[in-house]
Amino acid sequence: ETSARPASSSWLRPRACRHCLSSVPNGVITESYRPEVPGTITCQVIAVTTSLGEPFQAIELSHRKDSAMLTRSLRANAAFSAASGLGLLLGSSLLATPFGAPRVSLIAIGAMLLPFAAFVWWVSTTPRRGLVSLIIAGDIAWVVSAIVLIAGFPQALSTLGVWALIVATIVVADLAIAQGVGLRRART
Protein backbone atom coordinates (compact mmCIF):
# COMPACT_ATOMS: atom_id res chain seq x y z
CA GLU A 1 0.00 0.00 0.00
CA THR A 2 1.26 3.42 -0.86
CA SER A 3 -0.20 6.79 -0.03
CA ALA A 4 -0.99 9.27 -2.78
CA ARG A 5 -0.18 12.95 -2.28
CA PRO A 6 -1.05 15.91 -4.45
CA ALA A 7 1.42 16.60 -7.24
CA SER A 8 4.08 19.18 -6.48
CA SER A 9 7.02 20.61 -8.36
CA SER A 10 10.02 18.31 -8.31
CA TRP A 11 12.39 21.15 -7.38
CA LEU A 12 10.43 21.71 -4.15
CA ARG A 13 11.02 18.17 -2.90
CA PRO A 14 14.14 17.55 -0.84
CA ARG A 15 16.94 15.97 -2.85
CA ALA A 16 17.23 13.01 -0.47
CA CYS A 17 13.62 12.00 -1.15
CA ARG A 18 13.68 12.51 -4.92
CA HIS A 19 14.85 8.93 -5.57
CA CYS A 20 11.89 7.44 -3.70
CA LEU A 21 9.13 9.44 -5.38
CA SER A 22 7.73 8.95 -8.87
CA SER A 23 5.40 11.05 -10.95
CA VAL A 24 2.79 9.27 -13.04
CA PRO A 25 0.81 10.59 -16.01
CA ASN A 26 -2.36 11.33 -14.02
CA GLY A 27 -0.41 13.71 -11.77
CA VAL A 28 -0.39 11.58 -8.62
CA ILE A 29 2.89 11.23 -6.77
CA THR A 30 3.46 7.79 -5.28
CA GLU A 31 6.18 6.30 -3.17
CA SER A 32 8.25 3.62 -4.82
CA TYR A 33 9.30 0.35 -3.31
CA ARG A 34 12.84 -0.63 -4.19
CA PRO A 35 13.66 -4.08 -2.85
CA GLU A 36 17.25 -5.08 -2.29
CA VAL A 37 17.61 -7.98 -4.70
CA PRO A 38 21.07 -9.51 -5.15
CA GLY A 39 22.31 -9.27 -8.71
CA THR A 40 20.31 -6.21 -9.71
CA ILE A 41 21.45 -2.72 -10.36
CA THR A 42 17.93 -1.29 -10.36
CA CYS A 43 14.65 -2.97 -9.56
CA GLN A 44 11.70 -0.70 -8.96
CA VAL A 45 8.05 -1.55 -8.34
CA ILE A 46 5.63 1.38 -8.41
CA ALA A 47 2.13 1.08 -7.01
CA VAL A 48 -0.23 3.48 -8.78
CA THR A 49 -3.93 4.11 -8.47
CA THR A 50 -5.49 4.68 -11.88
CA SER A 51 -8.01 7.43 -12.53
CA LEU A 52 -10.76 4.81 -11.95
CA GLY A 53 -9.40 4.08 -8.48
CA GLU A 54 -8.21 0.56 -9.38
CA PRO A 55 -4.73 -0.50 -8.31
CA PHE A 56 -2.18 -0.81 -11.10
CA GLN A 57 1.35 -2.12 -10.67
CA ALA A 58 4.07 -1.27 -13.15
CA ILE A 59 7.32 -3.16 -12.79
CA GLU A 60 10.40 -1.47 -14.13
CA LEU A 61 13.46 -3.66 -14.46
CA SER A 62 16.29 -1.65 -15.82
CA HIS A 63 19.67 -3.13 -16.50
CA ARG A 64 20.02 -6.18 -14.31
CA LYS A 65 23.38 -7.65 -13.57
CA ASP A 66 22.06 -10.89 -15.09
CA SER A 67 21.62 -9.15 -18.43
CA ALA A 68 25.40 -8.68 -18.72
CA MET A 69 25.72 -12.09 -20.40
CA LEU A 70 23.03 -11.11 -22.90
CA THR A 71 24.70 -7.78 -23.65
CA ARG A 72 28.14 -9.39 -24.02
CA SER A 73 26.85 -12.14 -26.32
CA LEU A 74 24.95 -9.63 -28.47
CA ARG A 75 28.03 -7.42 -28.76
CA ALA A 76 30.19 -10.45 -29.60
CA ASN A 77 27.65 -11.34 -32.31
CA ALA A 78 27.78 -7.79 -33.64
CA ALA A 79 31.60 -7.76 -33.64
CA PHE A 80 31.85 -11.15 -35.36
CA SER A 81 29.23 -10.17 -37.94
CA ALA A 82 30.94 -6.83 -38.64
CA ALA A 83 34.39 -8.42 -38.93
CA SER A 84 33.04 -11.16 -41.21
CA GLY A 85 31.10 -8.67 -43.32
CA LEU A 86 34.10 -6.35 -43.74
CA GLY A 87 36.37 -9.30 -44.49
CA LEU A 88 34.03 -10.61 -47.16
CA LEU A 89 33.46 -7.17 -48.70
CA LEU A 90 37.07 -6.05 -48.74
CA GLY A 91 38.60 -9.43 -49.46
CA SER A 92 36.05 -10.83 -51.88
CA SER A 93 38.48 -10.87 -54.81
CA LEU A 94 41.14 -12.62 -52.70
CA LEU A 95 38.76 -15.12 -51.04
CA ALA A 96 36.60 -16.09 -54.02
CA THR A 97 39.07 -18.56 -55.56
CA PRO A 98 40.29 -20.30 -52.36
CA PHE A 99 36.72 -20.60 -51.01
CA GLY A 100 35.36 -21.77 -54.36
CA ALA A 101 32.55 -19.21 -54.18
CA PRO A 102 31.54 -16.54 -56.68
CA ARG A 103 32.85 -13.09 -55.78
CA VAL A 104 29.33 -11.65 -56.07
CA SER A 105 28.07 -14.08 -53.41
CA LEU A 106 30.81 -13.04 -50.98
CA ILE A 107 30.04 -9.36 -51.58
CA ALA A 108 26.30 -9.96 -51.06
CA ILE A 109 26.85 -11.87 -47.82
CA GLY A 110 29.28 -9.20 -46.57
CA ALA A 111 26.82 -6.44 -47.47
CA MET A 112 24.05 -8.19 -45.53
CA LEU A 113 26.22 -8.81 -42.47
CA LEU A 114 27.13 -5.14 -41.91
CA PRO A 115 23.57 -3.82 -41.34
CA PHE A 116 22.84 -6.95 -39.31
CA ALA A 117 25.88 -6.18 -37.12
CA ALA A 118 24.71 -2.59 -36.63
CA PHE A 119 21.22 -3.80 -35.71
CA VAL A 120 22.58 -6.35 -33.21
CA TRP A 121 24.82 -3.69 -31.61
CA TRP A 122 21.85 -1.32 -31.34
CA VAL A 123 19.73 -4.05 -29.71
CA SER A 124 22.56 -4.73 -27.24
CA THR A 125 22.25 -1.18 -25.89
CA THR A 126 18.69 -1.82 -24.62
CA PRO A 127 17.81 -5.49 -25.17
CA ARG A 128 14.14 -6.25 -25.77
CA ARG A 129 12.85 -9.81 -25.71
CA GLY A 130 11.25 -9.65 -29.16
CA LEU A 131 14.29 -8.15 -30.88
CA VAL A 132 16.71 -10.54 -29.19
CA SER A 133 14.45 -13.45 -30.20
CA LEU A 134 14.54 -12.16 -33.78
CA ILE A 135 18.35 -12.10 -33.70
CA ILE A 136 18.46 -15.62 -32.28
CA ALA A 137 16.07 -16.78 -35.02
CA GLY A 138 18.34 -15.20 -37.63
CA ASP A 139 21.36 -16.97 -36.16
CA ILE A 140 19.49 -20.28 -36.18
CA ALA A 141 18.46 -19.67 -39.81
CA TRP A 142 22.13 -19.08 -40.67
CA VAL A 143 23.15 -22.34 -38.98
CA VAL A 144 20.40 -24.34 -40.71
CA SER A 145 21.13 -22.85 -44.14
CA ALA A 146 24.86 -23.52 -43.71
CA ILE A 147 24.17 -27.14 -42.81
CA VAL A 148 21.86 -27.49 -45.84
CA LEU A 149 24.52 -25.94 -48.10
CA ILE A 150 27.30 -28.18 -46.79
CA ALA A 151 25.24 -31.37 -46.71
CA GLY A 152 23.08 -30.80 -49.79
CA PHE A 153 25.62 -29.17 -52.08
CA PRO A 154 29.07 -30.42 -51.05
CA GLN A 155 30.66 -29.32 -54.34
CA ALA A 156 29.39 -25.72 -54.06
CA LEU A 157 32.48 -24.67 -52.09
CA SER A 158 36.10 -25.76 -52.00
CA THR A 159 37.43 -27.69 -49.01
CA LEU A 160 38.78 -24.46 -47.52
CA GLY A 161 35.41 -22.79 -48.13
CA VAL A 162 33.56 -25.64 -46.42
CA TRP A 163 35.88 -25.45 -43.39
CA ALA A 164 35.53 -21.69 -43.19
CA LEU A 165 31.75 -22.06 -43.30
CA ILE A 166 31.85 -24.78 -40.62
CA VAL A 167 33.93 -22.56 -38.30
CA ALA A 168 31.62 -19.57 -38.88
CA THR A 169 28.57 -21.77 -38.28
CA ILE A 170 29.97 -23.08 -34.99
CA VAL A 171 30.65 -19.50 -33.83
CA VAL A 172 27.14 -18.38 -34.84
CA ALA A 173 25.56 -21.41 -33.10
CA ASP A 174 27.54 -20.69 -29.92
CA LEU A 175 26.46 -17.05 -30.02
CA ALA A 176 22.81 -18.05 -30.49
CA ILE A 177 23.03 -20.36 -27.47
CA ALA A 178 24.73 -17.68 -25.35
CA GLN A 179 22.10 -15.13 -26.37
CA GLY A 180 19.31 -17.58 -25.52
CA VAL A 181 20.79 -18.31 -22.10
CA GLY A 182 21.39 -14.59 -21.50
CA LEU A 183 17.82 -13.76 -22.51
CA ARG A 184 16.47 -16.40 -20.14
CA ARG A 185 18.60 -15.09 -17.27
CA ALA A 186 17.82 -11.43 -17.89
CA ARG A 187 14.06 -11.90 -18.27
CA THR A 188 13.83 -8.61 -20.17
Side-chain angles (χ1 to χ4, degrees):
E1 295 260 346
T2 60
S3 60
R5 292 184 293 244
S8 63
S9 297
S10 62
W11 63 273
L12 292 174
R13 287 193 299 262
R15 196 171 211 7
C17 293
R18 191 172 292 170
H19 75 280
C20 65
L21 297 174
S22 299
S23 178
V24 292
N26 64 2
V28 175
I29 304 294
T30 60
E31 291 185 38
S32 298
Y33 169 68
R34 294 180 186 213
E36 294 296 323
V37 180
T40 62
I41 295 171
T42 309
C43 181
Q44 182 179 15
V45 179
I46 305 170
V48 178
T49 304
T50 63
S51 58
L52 300 174
E54 298 173 2
F56 172 77
Q57 286 200 346
I59 300 174
E60 176 191 321
L61 293 174
S62 73
H63 219 37
R64 295 174 53 106
K65 203 174 192 181
D66 295 337
S67 68
M69 179 181 183
L70 177 60
T71 301
R72 282 194 308 268
S73 61
L74 285 169
R75 290 189 176 167
N77 189 347
F80 180 72
S81 298
S84 299
L86 282 173
L88 290 173
L89 275 176
L90 300 177
S92 61
S93 58
L94 296 173
L95 297 173
T97 303
F99 283 2
R103 182 173 180 255
V104 172
S105 297
L106 297 179
I107 291 172
I109 293 168
M112 288 186 297
L113 284 173
L114 290 178
F116 175 75
F119 173 70
V120 173
W121 187 270
W122 175 74
V123 169
S124 76
T125 60
T126 54
R128 301 277 186 254
R129 179 177 293 280
L131 295 177
V132 174
S133 297
L134 182 68
I135 292 167
I136 293 170
D139 289 344
I140 291 170
W142 172 273
V143 170
V144 169
S145 62
I147 291 170
V148 167
L149 178 65
I150 293 168
F153 306 97
Q155 302 303 321
L157 299 172
S158 67
T159 304
L160 180 61
V162 168
W163 280 108
L165 185 59
I166 288 171
V167 168
T169 302
I170 290 170
V171 171
V172 170
D174 287 344
L175 289 169
I177 291 168
Q179 290 163 166
V181 170
L183 182 64
R184 185 171 174 213
R185 285 184 185 173
R187 292 182 224 119
T188 56

